Amino acid sequence: MKGKKKSRENWGSRLGFIMATAGFSIGLGNIWRFSYVAGHNGGGAFLLIYLLIIAVIGIPIFLAETGLGRKVQTGIITGLRQLTRKGSPWVLFIGWLGILAAGLIMSYYLMIMGWIFAYIFKVGLGTFNGATTEQIAKIYEDLVSNPLAVIGYTLIPTLIIGLIVSRGVKNGIEKFVKISMPILLIMLILLAIYSLSLPGSMDGVVWYLKPDFSVITPKTFLEALGQVFFSLGIGLAGAFTYGSYLDPQNSDLVKDSVWVISFDTTIAFLSGLVIFPALFAFQIAPDSGPGLLFLTIPNILDKMPGGTIFGMMFFILVIIAAITTAVGLIETVSANTAELLNLKRKTSVWLWLGVMFILAIPSILSHGPWAHIELFSKNIFELIDYVSGNILLVLSGLFISLYVVFKWKFQNFQHDINIGATSIKITAISKPVIQFVIPIAILIILVSGLL
């Protein structure tokens, strides 16, 4: 094992880790999924619960998962076997469960990226110029219900992700995100400013920022918790994998994690400020589901000066954000496979991308020929999204919190996480929160939300 640790690739800089991990966290979860989940759960009420869960649960669990990766300097399966034993419940419920969740999410993530590539071409060709809200909705429906077209578009991001991840951490992932993430932030700020200037947009701002406590149910808490884990990459084994590329002695994990989570939360909040004011301006229902982004943005772009150029830039940046997350998901499963089966990085990457591409096909068909197939009142895509995002991620997060309590122990957790920390540290004040509040809260939210 010592030989493996010495050859373990590390991030080239602190900024590289922050941008890459933020890039993994920031993706379609913030721009696409956050908006439609918030739309289904009452806007302001969901936002308030989401922010509270990030502060109380998200930050400590993110630190724990990333800290475990930094501690062992390996992939999650090998690392947890070192810390416990082969076949232990921790390996199963944190490691394998996380990899399963990453694989399921990646299977439909490729499909959504295919939609975005289609929109890059459609915006560039002027398809939405002068289109009414109803016509824009029809264009979206025609696209997603055409499986051959979606499969073709989905092939594009699959190849791009393979080229990036196969180049490694420093030369592939780190270089890619250092440029793309700041540009995405600027673009979202500009779009939010324009969205807020639209007539009727203030109704959307009120709906988004003013909590309506009458709409809160146990399901709201479960979906908010699932969205926090989805957005931050908790329970996907991705935070563990990215943490494993940190210098175990000379990295400020606490401060860097606060930067990552702050960046991630800002992007999600800004996405809401882009989407919801525009929804009310164009009289689109906020609970329109997964197509929310694709219904709203073309309406905005059609009304603004230079909308075609701006629209192409926006969807290109959205696909960049999506790719940074997909890169993390593929890095997670491929790095662990390469470690466990002694495969070359490139072989493992392309093998898994082929598997994910095939697994994407049922989600693609669920919007077309298989739209009539439903389980628990959900089509195939909706079921995969719900199970992976609201059950598997939450279960994995629960077991991470239990690992800290029963296996790592608070004092060891505090010591390990604080290695290299400067101005911000884990203190004894957080002990009751980490030992009692977090695992009990996750369990209550999971059980009550499901029941």
Side-chain angles (χ1 to χ4, degrees):
M1 291 296 175
K2 289 181 180 179
K4 286 186 179 180
K5 287 188 179 182
K6 286 180 180 178
S7 63
R8 187 76 171 173
E9 191 176 4
N10 286 135
W11 299 109
S13 64
R14 179 186 176 194
L15 179 63
F17 166 72
I18 293 173
M19 286 292 100
T21 310
F24 171 64
S25 300
I26 296 164
L28 293 180
N30 302 69
I31 300 169
W32 161 72
R33 195 176 190 272
F34 174 82
S35 298
Y36 98 75
V37 174
H40 265 300
N41 289 278
F46 176 87
L47 178 63
L48 177 62
I49 295 169
Y50 178 81
L51 294 174
L52 287 172
I53 289 175
I54 282 179
V56 177
I57 298 176
I59 294 175
I61 299 295
F62 182 85
L63 278 171
E65 185 174 338
T66 313
L68 281 172
R70 184 179 72 164
K71 181 182 177 71
V72 296
Q73 296 283 287
T74 67
I76 193 166
I77 302 299
T78 304
L80 288 172
R81 284 175 177 176
Q82 285 180 27
L83 294 170
T84 57
R85 58 178 172 79
K86 187 176 181 179
S88 77
W90 308 113
V91 176
L92 174 62
F93 289 109
I94 298 175
W96 290 114
L97 200 65
I99 288 176
L100 175 61
L104 287 175
I105 288 170
M106 188 64 192
S107 72
Y108 71 75
Y109 215 81
L110 284 172
M111 175 190 71
I112 305 298
M113 288 191 285
W115 294 357
I116 296 170
F117 266 104
Y119 267 60
I120 292 172
F121 290 113
K122 288 181 182 298
V123 170
L125 293 171
T127 306
F128 301 105
N129 293 351
T132 64
T133 300
E134 292 75 18
Q135 288 170 332
I136 288 171
K138 180 70 165 52
I139 292 168
Y140 167 75
E141 289 297 333
D142 288 345
L143 169 68
V144 301
S145 62
N146 184 342
L148 288 178
V150 176
I151 287 171
Y153 284 117
T154 300
L155 188 60
I156 302 172
T158 304
L159 295 174
I160 292 172
I161 293 163
L163 292 172
I164 293 170
V165 181
S166 60
R167 287 177 60 84
V169 172
K170 287 183 187 177
N171 295 322
I173 301 170
E174 187 172 334
K175 285 184 178 180
F176 181 71
V177 295
K178 276 185 178 179
I179 299 170
S180 61
M181 286 298 98
I183 297 174
L184 175 65
L185 177 62
I186 294 168
M187 179 67 76
L188 280 173
I189 291 171
L190 293 175
L191 271 176
I193 292 170
Y194 188 81
S195 184
L196 291 168
S197 72
L198 294 168
S201 62
M202 285 302 109
D203 291 337
V205 175
V206 172
W207 184 88
Y208 180 46
L209 299 182
K210 184 179 179 181
D212 178 4
F213 295 106
S214 67
V215 303
I216 294 176
T217 67
K219 181 187 172 188
T220 310
F221 284 89
L222 177 59
E223 296 214 3
L225 181 63
Q227 178 59 29
V228 167
F229 285 4
F230 189 107
S231 182
L232 296 180
I234 294 170
L236 286 166
F240 191 108
T241 303
Y242 275 34
S244 72
Y245 296 124
L246 281 169
D247 185 320
Q249 300 297 324
N250 299 306
S251 52
D252 191 338
L253 181 59
V254 183
K255 186 187 288 185
D256 292 351
S257 294
V258 170
W259 274 109
V260 168
I261 293 168
S262 299
F263 198 6
D264 177 85
T265 307
T266 299
I267 294 292
F269 178 75
L270 281 173
S271 298
L273 278 183
V274 172
I275 299 294
F276 295 117
L279 283 179
F280 280 77
F282 298 116
Q283 298 181 337
I284 301 171
D287 60 350
S288 296
L292 209 56
L293 177 73
F294 302 94
L295 298 174
T296 310
I297 298 301
N299 274 292
I300 297 175
L301 300 174
D302 186 51
K303 307 296 184 295
M304 68 186 297
T308 299
I309 296 173
F310 205 77
M312 285 190 69
M313 289 177 62
F314 174 77
F315 280 110
I316 287 170
L317 287 169
V318 171
I319 201 67
I320 287 172
I323 286 172
T324 56
T325 298
V327 159
L329 294 172
I330 288 295
E331 173 67 19
T332 296
V333 293
S334 64
N336 278 280
T337 303
E339 242 174 31
L340 293 171
L341 301 180
N342 197 26
L343 295 175
K344 291 182 179 179
R345 167 184 277 272
K346 288 185 179 180
T347 303
S348 183
V349 167
W350 290 109
L351 174 67
W352 271 111
L353 274 170
V355 172
M356 298 305 172
F357 185 79
I358 293 169
L359 291 177
I361 293 174
S363 287
I364 293 171
L365 293 174
S366 72
H367 292 85
W370 291 1
H372 63 284
I373 300 175
E374 289 191 348
L375 292 170
F376 306 105
S377 301
K378 300 179 187 295
N379 66 30
I380 296 171
F381 156 69
E382 291 168 341
L383 185 66
I384 293 172
D385 182 32
Y386 184 83
V387 170
S388 58
N390 295 334
I391 298 177
L392 298 185
L393 291 190
V394 173
L395 272 175
S396 184
L398 173 62
F399 276 92
I400 291 170
S401 71
L402 294 174
Y403 181 90
V404 174
V405 175
F406 295 109
K407 189 70 180 177
W408 205 347
K409 307 294 185 182
F410 178 79
Q411 285 186 328
N412 296 327
F413 166 78
Q414 181 184 19
H415 171 268
D416 291 342
I417 297 299
N418 284 339
I419 292 174
T422 53
S423 55
I424 309 175
K425 295 184 178 182
I426 298 293
T427 65
I429 297 174
S430 61
K431 184 175 181 178
V433 175
I434 288 170
Q435 284 198 314
F436 301 107
V437 174
I438 292 176
I440 292 172
I442 295 175
L443 186 61
I444 290 173
I445 290 171
L446 177 63
V447 173
S448 61
L450 291 176
L451 295 178

